[in-house]
Short mmCIF file of all heavy atoms in Angstrom, two decimals:
data_model
loop_
_atom_site.label_atom_id
_atom_site.label_comp_id
_atom_site.label_asym_id
_atom_site.label_seq_id
_atom_site.Cartn_x
_atom_site.Cartn_y
_atom_site.Cartn_z
N MET A 262 16.19 13.99 31.91
CA MET A 262 17.36 14.76 31.51
C MET A 262 18.52 14.08 32.20
O MET A 262 18.61 13.87 33.43
CB MET A 262 17.39 16.26 31.90
CG MET A 262 17.64 17.00 30.82
SD MET A 262 17.21 18.79 31.09
CE MET A 262 17.78 19.24 32.67
N GLU A 263 19.56 13.83 31.43
CA GLU A 263 20.77 13.14 31.99
C GLU A 263 21.54 14.21 32.78
O GLU A 263 21.60 15.36 32.49
CB GLU A 263 21.66 12.63 30.76
CG GLU A 263 22.07 11.24 31.03
CD GLU A 263 22.92 10.77 29.73
OE1 GLU A 263 22.11 10.33 28.88
OE2 GLU A 263 24.11 10.86 29.70
N ASN A 264 22.15 13.73 33.85
CA ASN A 264 22.94 14.50 34.72
C ASN A 264 22.23 15.79 35.28
O ASN A 264 22.76 16.90 35.36
CB ASN A 264 24.30 15.03 34.03
CG ASN A 264 25.09 13.80 33.51
OD1 ASN A 264 25.20 12.85 34.18
ND2 ASN A 264 25.63 13.93 32.40
N TYR A 265 20.93 15.60 35.65
CA TYR A 265 20.14 16.72 36.18
C TYR A 265 20.82 17.18 37.44
O TYR A 265 21.16 16.40 38.35
CB TYR A 265 18.77 16.21 36.45
CG TYR A 265 17.89 17.29 37.07
CD1 TYR A 265 17.41 18.35 36.33
CD2 TYR A 265 17.81 17.24 38.42
CE1 TYR A 265 16.61 19.37 36.98
CE2 TYR A 265 16.92 18.31 39.06
CZ TYR A 265 16.38 19.26 38.32
OH TYR A 265 15.71 20.31 38.95
N GLU A 266 20.90 18.53 37.66
CA GLU A 266 21.35 19.14 38.83
C GLU A 266 20.33 20.33 39.15
O GLU A 266 20.13 21.15 38.28
CB GLU A 266 22.75 19.77 38.64
CG GLU A 266 23.88 18.76 38.51
CD GLU A 266 25.16 19.49 38.30
OE1 GLU A 266 25.41 20.43 38.95
OE2 GLU A 266 25.96 18.94 37.42
N LYS A 267 19.80 20.25 40.31
CA LYS A 267 18.93 21.34 40.79
C LYS A 267 19.60 22.70 40.64
O LYS A 267 20.90 22.83 40.96
CB LYS A 267 18.42 21.09 42.18
CG LYS A 267 17.34 22.03 42.65
CD LYS A 267 16.78 21.61 44.06
CE LYS A 267 15.74 22.52 44.41
NZ LYS A 267 15.24 22.16 45.74
N ASN A 268 18.97 23.80 40.23
CA ASN A 268 19.41 25.08 40.11
C ASN A 268 20.58 25.33 39.07
O ASN A 268 21.33 26.22 39.16
CB ASN A 268 19.90 25.65 41.46
CG ASN A 268 18.81 25.77 42.46
OD1 ASN A 268 17.67 26.03 42.10
ND2 ASN A 268 19.05 25.44 43.67
N ASN A 269 20.60 24.31 38.13
CA ASN A 269 21.67 24.41 37.11
C ASN A 269 20.97 25.35 35.97
O ASN A 269 20.02 25.03 35.38
CB ASN A 269 21.96 23.14 36.54
CG ASN A 269 23.01 23.21 35.46
OD1 ASN A 269 23.35 24.15 34.88
ND2 ASN A 269 23.68 22.04 35.30
N PHE A 270 21.57 26.51 35.74
CA PHE A 270 21.02 27.48 34.81
C PHE A 270 21.21 27.16 33.43
O PHE A 270 20.82 27.74 32.47
CB PHE A 270 21.47 28.88 35.14
CG PHE A 270 20.95 29.32 36.46
CD1 PHE A 270 21.57 29.35 37.55
CD2 PHE A 270 19.63 29.86 36.56
CE1 PHE A 270 21.25 29.76 38.94
CE2 PHE A 270 19.11 30.26 37.77
CZ PHE A 270 19.91 30.20 38.82
N LYS A 271 21.87 25.98 33.15
CA LYS A 271 22.12 25.47 31.80
C LYS A 271 20.90 24.71 31.19
O LYS A 271 20.72 24.50 30.08
CB LYS A 271 23.35 24.61 31.75
CG LYS A 271 24.59 25.35 32.04
CD LYS A 271 25.80 24.39 32.02
CE LYS A 271 27.14 25.16 32.28
NZ LYS A 271 28.24 24.17 32.32
N HIS A 272 19.94 24.41 32.12
CA HIS A 272 18.70 23.68 31.73
C HIS A 272 17.95 24.49 30.58
O HIS A 272 17.46 23.89 29.70
CB HIS A 272 17.82 23.56 32.83
CG HIS A 272 18.39 22.63 33.87
ND1 HIS A 272 18.51 21.24 33.67
CD2 HIS A 272 18.78 22.82 35.15
CE1 HIS A 272 19.08 20.70 34.88
NE2 HIS A 272 19.28 21.64 35.70
N TYR A 273 17.90 25.73 30.67
CA TYR A 273 17.16 26.48 29.69
C TYR A 273 17.73 26.32 28.35
O TYR A 273 17.04 26.10 27.29
CB TYR A 273 17.04 28.08 30.08
CG TYR A 273 16.33 28.79 28.96
CD1 TYR A 273 14.92 28.71 28.89
CD2 TYR A 273 16.93 29.54 27.93
CE1 TYR A 273 14.24 29.41 27.84
CE2 TYR A 273 16.38 30.19 26.98
CZ TYR A 273 15.00 30.14 26.93
OH TYR A 273 14.20 30.77 25.91
N SER A 274 19.04 26.40 28.21
CA SER A 274 19.63 26.28 26.94
C SER A 274 19.46 24.89 26.30
O SER A 274 19.42 24.69 25.13
CB SER A 274 21.17 26.54 26.98
OG SER A 274 21.82 25.78 27.78
N ILE A 275 19.38 23.83 27.22
CA ILE A 275 19.14 22.50 26.80
C ILE A 275 17.78 22.31 26.30
O ILE A 275 17.46 21.62 25.28
CB ILE A 275 19.43 21.52 27.90
CG1 ILE A 275 21.00 21.61 28.22
CG2 ILE A 275 19.07 20.07 27.55
CD1 ILE A 275 21.36 20.87 29.60
N LEU A 276 16.80 23.03 26.95
CA LEU A 276 15.33 22.74 26.68
C LEU A 276 14.67 23.86 25.83
O LEU A 276 13.48 23.58 25.45
CB LEU A 276 14.65 22.68 28.03
CG LEU A 276 14.98 21.55 28.89
CD1 LEU A 276 14.41 21.67 30.30
CD2 LEU A 276 14.74 20.08 28.34
N LYS A 277 15.27 24.90 25.51
CA LYS A 277 14.57 26.01 24.83
C LYS A 277 13.94 25.67 23.50
O LYS A 277 12.99 26.25 23.12
CB LYS A 277 15.58 27.25 24.76
CG LYS A 277 16.59 27.14 23.82
CD LYS A 277 17.48 28.33 23.71
CE LYS A 277 18.63 28.19 22.79
NZ LYS A 277 19.50 29.43 22.76
N ASP A 278 14.51 24.69 22.85
CA ASP A 278 13.92 24.36 21.53
C ASP A 278 12.64 23.55 21.59
O ASP A 278 12.08 23.16 20.67
CB ASP A 278 14.92 23.60 20.67
CG ASP A 278 15.43 22.35 21.26
OD1 ASP A 278 15.58 22.32 22.49
OD2 ASP A 278 15.82 21.39 20.45
N LYS A 279 12.34 23.19 22.87
CA LYS A 279 11.15 22.35 23.08
C LYS A 279 10.04 23.15 23.71
O LYS A 279 9.00 22.62 24.09
CB LYS A 279 11.53 21.19 24.07
CG LYS A 279 12.54 20.20 23.46
CD LYS A 279 12.97 19.16 24.46
CE LYS A 279 13.87 18.11 23.90
NZ LYS A 279 14.94 18.49 23.02
N ILE A 280 10.18 24.41 23.89
CA ILE A 280 9.19 25.37 24.50
C ILE A 280 7.89 25.30 23.71
O ILE A 280 6.82 25.24 24.32
CB ILE A 280 9.61 26.85 24.66
CG1 ILE A 280 10.77 26.90 25.75
CG2 ILE A 280 8.58 27.74 24.95
CD1 ILE A 280 11.46 28.15 25.89
N HIS A 281 7.94 25.33 22.45
CA HIS A 281 6.74 25.45 21.60
C HIS A 281 5.91 24.06 21.84
O HIS A 281 4.68 24.22 22.07
CB HIS A 281 7.07 25.52 20.09
CG HIS A 281 5.77 25.43 19.27
ND1 HIS A 281 4.93 26.56 19.15
CD2 HIS A 281 5.36 24.54 18.53
CE1 HIS A 281 3.89 26.21 18.39
NE2 HIS A 281 4.12 24.95 17.99
N THR A 282 6.52 22.98 21.89
CA THR A 282 5.88 21.71 22.12
C THR A 282 5.29 21.66 23.56
O THR A 282 4.22 21.27 23.74
CB THR A 282 6.89 20.53 21.98
OG1 THR A 282 7.36 20.52 20.70
CG2 THR A 282 6.17 19.24 22.22
N ALA A 283 6.07 22.23 24.49
CA ALA A 283 5.60 22.08 25.89
C ALA A 283 4.37 23.03 26.07
O ALA A 283 3.43 22.72 26.73
CB ALA A 283 6.71 22.59 26.83
N LYS A 284 4.38 24.22 25.41
CA LYS A 284 3.21 25.11 25.57
C LYS A 284 1.97 24.46 24.86
O LYS A 284 0.92 24.52 25.47
CB LYS A 284 3.53 26.45 24.82
CG LYS A 284 4.55 27.28 25.65
CD LYS A 284 4.62 28.74 24.97
CE LYS A 284 5.06 28.69 23.56
NZ LYS A 284 5.31 30.05 23.09
N SER A 285 2.28 23.89 23.84
CA SER A 285 1.08 23.24 23.01
C SER A 285 0.52 22.10 23.94
O SER A 285 -0.73 21.96 24.00
CB SER A 285 1.57 22.62 21.67
OG SER A 285 0.61 21.90 21.08
N HIS A 286 1.37 21.28 24.64
CA HIS A 286 0.83 20.16 25.36
C HIS A 286 0.19 20.74 26.56
O HIS A 286 -0.90 20.21 26.95
CB HIS A 286 1.99 19.29 25.85
CG HIS A 286 2.54 18.50 24.66
ND1 HIS A 286 3.58 17.53 24.88
CD2 HIS A 286 2.24 18.35 23.30
CE1 HIS A 286 3.87 16.94 23.72
NE2 HIS A 286 3.06 17.42 22.86
N ALA A 287 0.65 21.71 27.23
CA ALA A 287 -0.04 22.31 28.40
C ALA A 287 -1.41 22.94 28.04
O ALA A 287 -2.39 22.74 28.75
CB ALA A 287 0.86 23.41 29.00
N GLU A 288 -1.45 23.58 26.82
CA GLU A 288 -2.83 24.13 26.44
C GLU A 288 -3.74 23.08 26.20
O GLU A 288 -4.93 23.18 26.56
CB GLU A 288 -2.53 25.03 25.18
CG GLU A 288 -3.80 25.55 24.63
CD GLU A 288 -3.65 26.28 23.34
OE1 GLU A 288 -2.77 26.04 22.59
OE2 GLU A 288 -4.52 27.21 23.11
N LYS A 289 -3.34 22.05 25.44
CA LYS A 289 -4.24 20.85 25.23
C LYS A 289 -4.78 20.29 26.44
O LYS A 289 -5.90 19.88 26.61
CB LYS A 289 -3.54 19.88 24.32
CG LYS A 289 -3.39 20.23 22.83
CD LYS A 289 -2.67 19.27 22.15
CE LYS A 289 -2.34 19.74 20.61
NZ LYS A 289 -1.56 18.81 19.92
N SER A 290 -3.87 20.05 27.42
CA SER A 290 -4.23 19.51 28.69
C SER A 290 -5.20 20.42 29.42
O SER A 290 -6.26 19.98 29.93
CB SER A 290 -2.98 19.21 29.55
OG SER A 290 -3.34 18.72 30.81
N ARG A 291 -4.85 21.70 29.50
CA ARG A 291 -5.81 22.59 30.20
C ARG A 291 -7.20 22.69 29.59
O ARG A 291 -8.18 22.62 30.25
CB ARG A 291 -5.14 24.01 30.17
CG ARG A 291 -6.01 25.10 30.74
CD ARG A 291 -5.33 26.44 30.89
NE ARG A 291 -4.66 26.77 29.64
CZ ARG A 291 -5.11 27.45 28.53
NH1 ARG A 291 -6.41 27.60 28.60
NH2 ARG A 291 -4.42 27.77 27.52
N LEU A 292 -7.29 22.80 28.25
CA LEU A 292 -8.52 22.81 27.56
C LEU A 292 -9.32 21.51 27.66
O LEU A 292 -10.52 21.59 27.86
CB LEU A 292 -8.30 23.21 26.11
CG LEU A 292 -7.78 24.53 25.79
CD1 LEU A 292 -7.53 24.82 24.31
CD2 LEU A 292 -8.62 25.74 26.36
N ASN A 293 -8.60 20.45 27.70
CA ASN A 293 -9.35 19.11 27.86
C ASN A 293 -9.91 19.03 29.29
O ASN A 293 -11.02 18.59 29.43
CB ASN A 293 -8.26 18.06 27.55
CG ASN A 293 -8.95 16.63 27.65
OD1 ASN A 293 -10.07 16.45 27.06
ND2 ASN A 293 -8.33 15.63 28.26
N VAL A 294 -9.19 19.40 30.27
CA VAL A 294 -9.61 19.29 31.62
C VAL A 294 -10.86 20.25 31.76
O VAL A 294 -11.93 19.84 32.40
CB VAL A 294 -8.55 19.69 32.68
CG1 VAL A 294 -9.05 19.84 34.05
CG2 VAL A 294 -7.50 18.55 32.69
N ILE A 295 -10.86 21.48 31.29
CA ILE A 295 -11.91 22.32 31.43
C ILE A 295 -13.15 21.84 30.72
O ILE A 295 -14.23 21.89 31.20
CB ILE A 295 -11.57 23.73 30.80
CG1 ILE A 295 -10.49 24.41 31.82
CG2 ILE A 295 -12.77 24.62 30.67
CD1 ILE A 295 -9.87 25.72 31.25
N GLU A 296 -12.98 21.30 29.49
CA GLU A 296 -14.01 20.75 28.69
C GLU A 296 -14.71 19.60 29.40
O GLU A 296 -15.90 19.38 29.29
CB GLU A 296 -13.50 20.38 27.31
CG GLU A 296 -14.65 19.69 26.36
CD GLU A 296 -14.00 19.33 25.10
OE1 GLU A 296 -13.23 20.13 24.49
OE2 GLU A 296 -14.37 18.18 24.57
N ASN A 297 -13.92 18.76 30.05
CA ASN A 297 -14.50 17.58 30.65
C ASN A 297 -15.05 17.80 32.09
O ASN A 297 -15.40 16.84 32.73
CB ASN A 297 -13.47 16.48 30.67
CG ASN A 297 -13.31 15.96 29.22
OD1 ASN A 297 -14.20 15.68 28.54
ND2 ASN A 297 -12.06 15.77 28.89
N ASN A 298 -14.90 19.06 32.60
CA ASN A 298 -15.28 19.37 33.99
C ASN A 298 -16.20 20.50 33.87
O ASN A 298 -15.97 21.56 34.68
CB ASN A 298 -14.19 19.56 34.95
CG ASN A 298 -13.42 18.25 35.12
OD1 ASN A 298 -13.87 17.47 35.89
ND2 ASN A 298 -12.41 18.05 34.34
N ASP A 299 -17.16 20.53 32.99
CA ASP A 299 -17.99 21.78 32.81
C ASP A 299 -18.59 22.32 34.08
O ASP A 299 -19.20 21.53 34.90
CB ASP A 299 -19.10 21.39 31.77
CG ASP A 299 -19.88 22.60 31.38
OD1 ASP A 299 -19.35 23.77 31.20
OD2 ASP A 299 -21.15 22.54 31.17
N GLY A 300 -18.52 23.51 34.37
CA GLY A 300 -19.02 24.17 35.56
C GLY A 300 -18.18 24.17 36.79
O GLY A 300 -18.50 24.68 37.84
N VAL A 301 -17.08 23.42 36.80
CA VAL A 301 -16.18 23.31 37.92
C VAL A 301 -15.34 24.56 37.88
O VAL A 301 -14.68 24.85 36.84
CB VAL A 301 -15.42 22.08 37.90
CG1 VAL A 301 -14.45 22.04 39.03
CG2 VAL A 301 -16.40 20.82 38.04
N GLU A 302 -15.04 25.32 39.05
CA GLU A 302 -14.16 26.39 38.98
C GLU A 302 -12.77 25.99 38.85
O GLU A 302 -12.37 24.84 39.25
CB GLU A 302 -14.22 27.19 40.40
CG GLU A 302 -15.43 28.04 40.52
CD GLU A 302 -16.57 27.29 41.24
OE1 GLU A 302 -16.39 26.07 41.63
OE2 GLU A 302 -17.70 27.84 41.39
N ILE A 303 -11.98 26.71 38.11
CA ILE A 303 -10.60 26.39 37.71
C ILE A 303 -9.81 25.92 38.96
O ILE A 303 -9.05 24.95 38.82
CB ILE A 303 -9.93 27.49 37.04
CG1 ILE A 303 -10.54 27.63 35.63
CG2 ILE A 303 -8.36 27.27 36.92
CD1 ILE A 303 -10.00 28.81 34.86
N PHE A 304 -9.92 26.57 40.14
CA PHE A 304 -9.19 26.15 41.36
C PHE A 304 -9.52 24.79 41.86
O PHE A 304 -8.85 24.33 42.77
CB PHE A 304 -9.23 27.35 42.46
CG PHE A 304 -10.62 27.72 42.74
CD1 PHE A 304 -11.30 26.96 43.79
CD2 PHE A 304 -11.28 28.79 42.20
CE1 PHE A 304 -12.65 27.34 44.01
CE2 PHE A 304 -12.56 29.18 42.66
CZ PHE A 304 -13.20 28.44 43.61
N ASN A 305 -10.67 24.36 41.45
CA ASN A 305 -11.05 22.90 41.87
C ASN A 305 -10.72 21.88 40.85
O ASN A 305 -10.95 20.66 41.08
CB ASN A 305 -12.63 22.98 42.19
CG ASN A 305 -12.94 23.58 43.48
OD1 ASN A 305 -12.15 23.47 44.51
ND2 ASN A 305 -14.00 24.32 43.50
N LEU A 306 -10.14 22.29 39.75
CA LEU A 306 -9.74 21.24 38.74
C LEU A 306 -8.60 20.56 39.16
O LEU A 306 -7.53 21.14 39.63
CB LEU A 306 -9.59 21.87 37.37
CG LEU A 306 -10.88 22.46 36.75
CD1 LEU A 306 -10.50 23.24 35.45
CD2 LEU A 306 -11.91 21.38 36.48
N ASN A 307 -8.47 19.21 39.01
CA ASN A 307 -7.35 18.48 39.27
C ASN A 307 -7.19 17.35 38.29
O ASN A 307 -8.10 16.47 38.25
CB ASN A 307 -7.30 17.98 40.70
CG ASN A 307 -6.05 17.22 41.11
OD1 ASN A 307 -5.12 17.35 40.44
ND2 ASN A 307 -6.15 16.58 42.18
N PRO A 308 -6.21 17.33 37.41
CA PRO A 308 -4.98 18.18 37.30
C PRO A 308 -5.49 19.54 36.56
O PRO A 308 -6.45 19.51 35.80
CB PRO A 308 -4.05 17.33 36.54
CG PRO A 308 -4.87 16.57 35.55
CD PRO A 308 -6.08 16.21 36.37
N PHE A 309 -4.65 20.49 36.73
CA PHE A 309 -4.80 21.69 36.06
C PHE A 309 -3.54 22.37 35.75
O PHE A 309 -2.72 22.36 36.76
CB PHE A 309 -5.77 22.64 36.74
CG PHE A 309 -5.97 23.93 35.96
CD1 PHE A 309 -6.85 23.93 34.87
CD2 PHE A 309 -5.21 25.11 36.28
CE1 PHE A 309 -7.06 25.20 34.23
CE2 PHE A 309 -5.47 26.21 35.56
CZ PHE A 309 -6.37 26.26 34.53
N THR A 310 -3.28 22.94 34.71
CA THR A 310 -2.03 23.75 34.39
C THR A 310 -2.44 24.89 33.50
O THR A 310 -3.34 24.84 32.68
CB THR A 310 -0.94 22.94 33.73
OG1 THR A 310 0.21 23.81 33.75
CG2 THR A 310 -1.32 22.45 32.40
N ASN A 311 -1.82 26.08 33.78
CA ASN A 311 -1.98 27.11 32.75
C ASN A 311 -0.56 27.73 32.53
O ASN A 311 -0.32 28.88 32.34
CB ASN A 311 -2.99 28.16 33.27
CG ASN A 311 -2.57 28.90 34.47
OD1 ASN A 311 -1.83 28.39 35.28
ND2 ASN A 311 -3.21 30.01 34.76
N VAL A 312 0.44 26.84 32.65
CA VAL A 312 1.93 27.28 32.54
C VAL A 312 2.11 27.80 31.10
O VAL A 312 2.98 28.66 30.97
CB VAL A 312 2.93 26.16 32.88
CG1 VAL A 312 2.80 25.02 31.85
CG2 VAL A 312 4.24 26.62 33.08
N ASP A 313 1.34 27.32 30.18
CA ASP A 313 1.43 27.82 28.70
C ASP A 313 1.20 29.27 28.70
O ASP A 313 1.86 30.15 28.06
CB ASP A 313 0.57 27.03 27.83
CG ASP A 313 -0.87 27.10 28.21
OD1 ASP A 313 -1.23 26.74 29.34
OD2 ASP A 313 -1.71 27.54 27.41
N GLU A 314 0.14 29.78 29.43
CA GLU A 314 -0.24 31.14 29.50
C GLU A 314 0.86 31.96 30.26
O GLU A 314 1.13 33.11 29.75
CB GLU A 314 -1.57 31.30 30.17
CG GLU A 314 -2.73 30.73 29.43
CD GLU A 314 -3.99 30.76 30.18
OE1 GLU A 314 -3.98 30.60 31.44
OE2 GLU A 314 -5.08 30.82 29.48
N LEU A 315 1.44 31.28 31.17
CA LEU A 315 2.54 32.07 31.87
C LEU A 315 3.72 32.20 31.01
O LEU A 315 4.35 33.36 30.95
CB LEU A 315 2.94 31.30 33.22
CG LEU A 315 4.21 31.82 33.94
CD1 LEU A 315 4.04 33.29 34.38
CD2 LEU A 315 4.60 30.83 35.02
N VAL A 316 4.09 31.19 30.29
CA VAL A 316 5.28 31.29 29.34
C VAL A 316 4.97 32.26 28.41
O VAL A 316 5.95 33.13 27.97
CB VAL A 316 5.61 29.89 28.83
CG1 VAL A 316 6.63 29.97 27.78
CG2 VAL A 316 6.09 28.95 29.87
N ILE A 317 3.82 32.37 27.69
CA ILE A 317 3.50 33.30 26.70
C ILE A 317 3.62 34.77 27.23
O ILE A 317 4.16 35.60 26.66
CB ILE A 317 2.11 33.08 26.12
CG1 ILE A 317 2.13 31.75 25.31
CG2 ILE A 317 1.58 34.28 25.30
CD1 ILE A 317 0.72 31.20 24.95
N TYR A 318 3.05 34.89 28.43
CA TYR A 318 3.27 36.24 29.17
C TYR A 318 4.59 36.61 29.34
O TYR A 318 4.97 37.73 28.96
CB TYR A 318 2.45 36.22 30.58
CG TYR A 318 2.68 37.51 31.36
CD1 TYR A 318 2.02 38.63 31.06
CD2 TYR A 318 3.64 37.52 32.22
CE1 TYR A 318 2.13 39.81 31.75
CE2 TYR A 318 3.84 38.70 33.02
CZ TYR A 318 3.03 39.83 32.78
OH TYR A 318 3.27 40.92 33.52
N LEU A 319 5.45 35.75 29.77
CA LEU A 319 6.89 36.02 30.08
C LEU A 319 7.63 36.34 28.65
O LEU A 319 8.45 37.25 28.57
CB LEU A 319 7.59 34.92 30.80
CG LEU A 319 7.12 34.75 32.24
CD1 LEU A 319 7.72 33.46 32.85
CD2 LEU A 319 7.40 35.96 33.08
N GLU A 320 7.31 35.60 27.74
CA GLU A 320 7.96 35.81 26.29
C GLU A 320 7.51 37.17 25.82
O GLU A 320 8.37 37.86 25.29
CB GLU A 320 7.40 34.76 25.32
CG GLU A 320 7.96 33.42 25.54
CD GLU A 320 7.45 32.35 24.76
OE1 GLU A 320 6.19 32.48 24.19
OE2 GLU A 320 8.08 31.34 24.49
N ASN A 321 6.21 37.59 26.06
CA ASN A 321 5.78 38.93 25.61
C ASN A 321 6.50 40.01 26.41
O ASN A 321 6.79 41.11 25.88
CB ASN A 321 4.29 39.11 25.79
CG ASN A 321 3.61 38.25 24.70
OD1 ASN A 321 4.14 37.88 23.69
ND2 ASN A 321 2.41 37.90 25.06
N GLN A 322 6.88 39.74 27.74
CA GLN A 322 7.55 40.77 28.53
C GLN A 322 8.94 40.99 27.97
O GLN A 322 9.63 42.07 28.01
CB GLN A 322 7.48 40.35 30.02
CG GLN A 322 6.21 40.29 30.61
CD GLN A 322 5.42 41.68 30.52
OE1 GLN A 322 5.85 42.67 30.88
NE2 GLN A 322 4.21 41.64 29.87
N LYS A 323 9.55 39.87 27.64
CA LYS A 323 10.91 39.86 27.08
C LYS A 323 10.98 40.65 25.86
O LYS A 323 12.05 41.35 25.61
CB LYS A 323 11.39 38.42 26.87
CG LYS A 323 12.84 38.27 26.40
CD LYS A 323 13.21 36.85 26.15
CE LYS A 323 12.62 36.29 24.92
NZ LYS A 323 13.18 35.01 24.60
N ASN A 324 9.98 40.67 25.02
CA ASN A 324 10.04 41.38 23.72
C ASN A 324 9.59 42.82 23.82
O ASN A 324 9.59 43.47 22.69
CB ASN A 324 9.09 40.59 22.76
CG ASN A 324 9.56 39.15 22.39
OD1 ASN A 324 10.80 38.89 22.39
ND2 ASN A 324 8.63 38.24 22.27
N LYS A 325 9.32 43.28 25.03
CA LYS A 325 8.89 44.72 25.09
C LYS A 325 10.14 45.60 25.12
O LYS A 325 11.21 45.30 25.57
CB LYS A 325 8.08 44.92 26.33
CG LYS A 325 6.67 44.44 26.11
CD LYS A 325 5.81 44.83 27.36
CE LYS A 325 4.37 44.39 27.07
NZ LYS A 325 3.61 44.67 28.14
#
């Protein structure tokens, strides 16, 4: 991102149209890591992300 500034609350408005893509990529990454590490507890997986699930949860809270 050009002219990035930490704690700049305008970032959301710049990136909000990319949320669907970001969630999709995070989900694919998570599922791929889980599939390729059968039997390993989630907290031992590296890399691991479930930020897609967090974003979906937060979106659902906003719509209540």
Side-chain angles (χ1 to χ4, degrees):
M262 228 165 54
E263 225 174 278
N264 302 319
Y265 173 81
E266 293 178 38
K267 187 175 181 178
N268 297 325
N269 182 340
F270 293 99
K271 294 179 184 176
H272 295 288
Y273 179 76
S274 63
I275 295 168
L276 297 172
K277 69 181 178 182
D278 61 327
K279 296 174 176 43
I280 288 177
H281 178 73
T282 301
K284 287 189 301 187
S285 176
H286 288 181
E288 178 185 27
K289 286 177 186 174
S290 176
R291 177 172 46 79
L292 295 176
N293 186 42
V294 168
I295 291 170
E296 181 180 312
N297 290 314
N298 291 281
D299 190 36
V301 177
E302 285 93 3
I303 289 175
F304 55 85
N305 284 322
L306 294 174
N307 186 12
F309 182 79
T310 185
N311 62 343
V312 72
D313 57 305
E314 295 173 323
L315 172 62
V316 172
I317 291 168
Y318 173 81
L319 294 173
E320 289 172 336
N321 289 337
Q322 296 306 303
K323 182 178 76 170
N324 295 327
K325 285 185 176 183

